[in-house]
Amino acid sequence: LSGIMVPILPFVGKVFAAPLASEASVPLDALAAIATRQGVTTESCATLSIALENALACKSEKQKILVAGSLFLVAELRQKFFK
């Protein structure tokens, strides 16, 4: 996990972590620990929807949102936002 996150974190202003319905999801405290060690603030959110809403509320007009994770994350996003 660290090998995936660490190269991305220099381009990230803040991490919004959310649990997934999948049993294969990574614990939020593990994600937060990696981000914190790299100097990136983390916000743990109760749901994926809340994480996305909070990220949208925090970004400026010129900033982008990077959604990173597993195929499980992509599947949940597709189900929730792209029906």
Side-chain angles (χ1 to χ4, degrees):
L1 180 63
S2 183
I4 295 168
M5 286 184 67
V6 170
I8 296 170
L9 289 172
F11 306 100
V12 173
K14 186 173 185 176
V15 171
F16 295 87
L20 300 178
S22 168
E23 292 178 16
S25 69
V26 175
L28 299 186
D29 57 343
L31 297 172
I34 293 168
T36 300
R37 281 195 303 271
Q38 298 300 312
V40 178
T41 304
T42 304
E43 180 178 327
S44 293
C45 302
T47 67
L48 186 56
S49 296
I50 292 170
L52 187 55
E53 288 171 14
N54 291 355
L56 288 167
C58 286
K59 79 173 201 70
S60 72
E61 199 172 297
K62 292 184 179 185
Q63 289 177 314
K64 306 291 184 207
I65 294 176
L66 169 66
V67 177
S70 67
L71 290 176
F72 298 106
L73 173 71
V74 173
E76 281 196 41
L77 280 174
R78 287 183 54 86
Q79 288 176 345
K80 290 178 190 283
F81 300 105
F82 302 106
K83 290 183 178 185

